[in-house]
Amino acid sequence: DEIVQANPCQDTAEHCGNEAVRDVVALTAEEVQTLLENAANLPITPYTLFLVAVRTGLRISELLALRWADIDLENRFLEVNRSYYHRTKTYGPPKSKKTRKVDLTPATVEALRNLQAQRKVVNIDGDDLVFADSNGEPLGYFYLRNAIKEIAPKPIRIHSLRHTYATLGIAKGDNLLDVSRQLGHHKVAFTIDKYGHWIPGEHKAQVDELDNLHLSAPYTHPEAKKWHG
């Protein structure tokens, strides 16, 4: 849950013998569709956050710190340059300590445009935060944690949406370097170590699912439909 910002067990494998296989809990393509359909019953702000999370792989701390000034909707990318730590209610640098550029899908851009249109109408400022509550503060972490329990088709954590982005991208053949850069990993080797067993060949069923789903199609939130046109 990113409460502890540094993993105390990192780089200790050489002292512990063979490294245990990490348990990555992620959603299938079909489960992503179910999650987004269920999320459409939430208010537009948390709905959009969950959609952006699963389409970009951003950490929850990065999503909660995101400002409209960080997003270029015309050119379909955003910049990750800070994180929000909900326990201390403070902002800091990203986990990698580096700014990175993250590409956005057309459906993600449409969802963000819909959110931006509604935010202008209700006049929520919140330091220009993208995912702010009615008081202009970052959405509550525990609210989001409880919400995902209601909308997810199986038990997952919020961080599992990041795993989902990575595993689906790798399983359908996306370039490993591109996936690693989107996630903000310091080395491609780390990405391969964490998600290597999802490389096509071992999870063909996951790849086959993508033929039957239209993951690039917009998932328009019901509240946002009135802002079209």
Side-chain angles (χ1 to χ4, degrees), residues 33-51:
Q33 185 177 20
T34 299
L35 179 138
L36 293 176
E37 288 171 353
N38 292 340
N41 296 315
L42 298 173
I44 190 171
T45 304
Y47 162 80
T48 308
L49 182 144
F50 288 132
L51 185 146

Side-chain angles (χ1 to χ4, degrees), residues 80-132:
V80 176
N81 52 48
R82 65 177 191 165
S83 293
Y84 175 75
Y85 303 107
H86 67 92
R87 288 193 174 274
T88 58
K89 298 185 187 240
T90 58
Y91 295 94
K95 189 175 181 180
S96 65
K97 311 299 182 188
K98 296 179 181 178
T99 297
R100 74 180 187 278
K101 178 179 173 181
V102 175
D103 294 323
L104 303 174
T105 68
T108 307
V109 168
E110 180 177 355
L112 287 167
R113 286 190 191 279
N114 291 335
L115 176 61
Q116 189 177 50
Q118 176 155 322
R119 292 286 297 281
K120 287 179 179 178
V121 169
V122 297
N123 196 29
I124 296 177
D125 181 16
D127 192 30
D128 202 30
L129 289 174
V130 176
F131 301 113

Side-chain angles (χ1 to χ4, degrees), residues 128-156:
D128 202 30
L129 289 174
V130 176
F131 301 113
D133 62 20
S134 58
N135 296 316
E137 299 294 328
L139 283 178
Y141 172 81
F142 295 106
Y143 163 75
L144 294 170
R145 189 181 68 175
N146 292 332
I148 204 165
K149 292 178 182 178
E150 298 297 324
I151 64 174
K154 66 182 181 183
I156 60 170

Side-chain angles (χ1 to χ4, degrees), residues 4-228:
V4 179
Q5 297 177 33
N7 181 2
C9 299
Q10 188 173 354
D11 300 324
T12 60
E14 61 181 298
H15 306 292
C16 306
N18 292 330
E19 187 177 10
V21 176
R22 294 182 178 89
D23 183 19
V24 172
V25 178
L27 300 177
T28 66
E30 188 174 40
E31 288 169 340
V32 168
Q33 185 177 20
T34 299
L35 179 138
L36 293 176
E37 288 171 353
N38 292 340
N41 296 315
L42 298 173
I44 190 171
T45 304
Y47 162 80
T48 308
L49 182 144
F50 288 132
L51 185 146
V52 173
V54 83
R55 297 290 178 83
T56 64
L58 264 64
R59 300 176 178 92
I60 184 64
S61 58
E62 296 168 344
L63 288 163
L64 293 178
L66 196 63
R67 296 163 292 195
W68 290 110
D70 302 324
I71 304 175
D72 187 333
L73 294 174
E74 292 298 323
N75 295 302
R76 294 201 290 119
F77 72 87
L78 61 81
E79 288 189 350
V80 176
N81 52 48
R82 65 177 191 165
S83 293
Y84 175 75
Y85 303 107
H86 67 92
R87 288 193 174 274
T88 58
K89 298 185 187 240
T90 58
Y91 295 94
K95 189 175 181 180
S96 65
K97 311 299 182 188
K98 296 179 181 178
T99 297
R100 74 180 187 278
K101 178 179 173 181
V102 175
D103 294 323
L104 303 174
T105 68
T108 307
V109 168
E110 180 177 355
L112 287 167
R113 286 190 191 279
N114 291 335
L115 176 61
Q116 189 177 50
Q118 176 155 322
R119 292 286 297 281
K120 287 179 179 178
V121 169
V122 297
N123 196 29
I124 296 177
D125 181 16
D127 192 30
D128 202 30
L129 289 174
V130 176
F131 301 113
D133 62 20
S134 58
N135 296 316
E137 299 294 328
L139 283 178
Y141 172 81
F142 295 106
Y143 163 75
L144 294 170
R145 189 181 68 175
N146 292 332
I148 204 165
K149 292 178 182 178
E150 298 297 324
I151 64 174
K154 66 182 181 183
I156 60 170
R157 299 184 300 134
I158 294 176
H159 198 69
S160 297
L161 300 182
R162 179 171 165 85
H163 293 324
T164 297
Y165 167 81
T167 55
L168 287 180
I170 292 172
K172 69 183 179 67
D174 288 356
N175 184 283
L176 282 169
L177 180 59
D178 290 339
V179 173
S180 185
R181 285 173 174 169
Q182 287 269 120
L183 293 170
H185 288 164
H186 60 292
K187 293 180 180 179
V188 179
F190 179 84
T191 309
I192 295 173
D193 181 49
K194 195 170 190 70
Y195 303 112
H197 61 290
W198 288 87
I199 293 173
E202 293 192 27
H203 285 264
K204 289 188 174 65
Q206 295 298 310
V207 181
D208 291 343
E209 282 185 26
L210 299 179
D211 285 341
N212 301 319
L213 296 172
H214 302 288
L215 294 185
S216 62
Y219 290 86
T220 303
H221 190 281
E223 281 187 46
K225 288 181 179 177
K226 56 189 174 186
W227 304 120
H228 283 285

